[in-house]
Amino acid sequence: MIIILLGPPGSGKGTQANFIQNKLSIPHLSTGDILRQSVKNETDLGNKVKNIMARGELVSDDLVLNVIKERVSENDCDQGFILDGYPRNIIQAKSLNIVLKDIDRNIDRILFLDVDFSILQSRIETRSKENNDEKRADDTSEVLIKRLDEYKAQTEPLSEYYRNNKKFKKINGMKSISEVSLDIENFLDNGI
Ligand code: AMP
C-alpha cells in the first residue's frame, strides 16, 4: 500500500506514521529525516540543504525529487511505503504522480491530519521549550513559525488539490493519539 500522510508541522504525522508502519510493515519515508541524516553526515546534499532547513524554508523541488526517486526504488519499498513530508507543494505532487507512473504504482490512501492553527501554535511553543534528545535544530519557536508559514503558503493547497480524489480523507488530528490511530486504521482497512 502506498500512503501519503499530509498535515502541518505538529499535527502528529511522525507518530501516526509509526503506527501505520507497525500495522502494515511498510517503511516510513520521511524526507525531513532523510535530509537531516544527510546534514549530519555532511554529504553534498546535506551541505546544500543545511542552511535552508535551519531557516525553516523548503529545499528545492529537484533535490527532494531525487531523494524520493532513489528511496522508493529500494527493495524494502516493494510492498509499499508511507510518505511523510512529501509532497510538500503541487509541483511535488505532480512529480510524484510521474515517479509512481514510471514504476507502475498507484497511491492507495491520502491522509490529511487536520489540526487548527491555534492548537498548532501552542504545540509549537511547548515543543520549542522542550529539551530532549529528539529536539531538532529547527524546533526553535521562530523557525517553527516560519515552517508553519511555509506550510500555509505551499502545502495547505494540497488538500484542495487532492480533495476530489477518492483516496483522500481528512482525519481530525485534534482527537487523542489513539483515537486518531483508530480513525486511520478504519480508513486503511475499509477506505472510509
Ligand atoms: P519535516 O521533518 O518534514 O518537517 O522537514 C524538515 C525540513 O526539511 C523542512 O522544513 C524543509 O526544509 C525540508 N523538507 C522536508 N521535506 C521537504 C519537501 N518535500 N520539500 C522541500 N523541503 C522539504
Side-chain angles (χ1 to χ4, degrees):
M1 199 176 242
I2 296 180
I3 299 164
I4 298 181
L5 200 48
L6 298 170
S11 60
K13 288 196 302 295
T15 306
Q16 297 302 340
N18 283 338
F19 166 75
I20 302 171
Q21 177 173 33
N22 291 333
K23 177 181 161 62
L24 299 179
S25 302
I26 52 175
H28 165 204
L29 314 187
S30 154
T31 42
D33 284 349
I34 297 171
L35 294 171
R36 274 186 290 280
Q37 196 59 44
S38 311
V39 171
K40 207 170 153 197
N41 296 341
E42 299 181 0
T43 63
D44 284 351
L45 171 66
N47 294 336
K48 275 186 199 149
V49 300
K50 185 177 179 185
N51 293 334
I52 303 169
M53 290 177 75
R55 290 197 297 269
E57 293 166 12
L58 294 187
V59 312
S60 86
D61 295 329
D62 288 352
L63 288 179
V64 267
L65 178 58
N66 284 333
V67 167
I68 279 296
K69 262 192 200 158
E70 261 179 41
R71 187 62 188 89
V72 303
S73 63
E74 286 177 29
N75 289 342
D76 64 336
C77 291
D78 284 355
Q79 299 304 313
F81 46 86
I82 307 150
L83 285 177
D84 162 11
Y86 194 91
R88 208 69 160 228
N89 58 33
I90 302 212
I91 292 174
Q92 294 183 11
K94 291 183 174 167
S95 301
L96 177 65
N97 290 340
I98 296 169
V99 170
L100 294 179
K101 196 160 182 252
D102 283 349
I103 54 172
D104 212 13
R105 316 271 306 255
N106 287 308
I107 298 167
D108 295 290
R109 300 281 190 276
I110 305 159
L111 287 163
F112 171 62
L113 289 183
D114 189 25
V115 177
D116 286 350
F117 285 115
S118 59
I119 292 177
L120 292 171
Q121 203 81 26
S122 69
R123 286 188 188 174
I124 281 176
E125 267 152 37
T126 311
R127 205 151 125 180
S128 68
K129 286 187 198 121
E130 275 172 6
N131 205 357
N132 59 40
D133 291 344
E134 287 179 20
K135 188 168 170 171
R136 295 164 22 174
D138 57 357
D139 268 353
T140 65
S141 66
E142 201 180 76
V143 177
L144 276 160
I145 287 165
K146 173 72 187 164
R147 284 164 54 204
L148 201 50
D149 286 345
E150 286 280 80
Y151 172 83
K152 285 181 195 164
Q154 306 223 38
T155 313
E156 202 180 29
L158 278 180
S159 62
E160 195 57 34
Y161 175 80
Y162 285 125
R163 209 162 58 110
N164 294 323
N165 188 315
K166 289 194 187 73
K167 319 275 172 67
F168 177 82
K169 186 165 173 80
K170 197 185 258 197
I171 299 230
N172 181 350
M174 292 167 280
K175 294 186 186 175
S176 70
I177 291 176
S178 55
E179 284 172 317
V180 174
S181 299
L182 201 61
D183 288 346
I184 290 178
E185 191 161 36
N186 275 335
F187 180 51
L188 296 179
D189 290 346
N190 309 313
I192 50 162

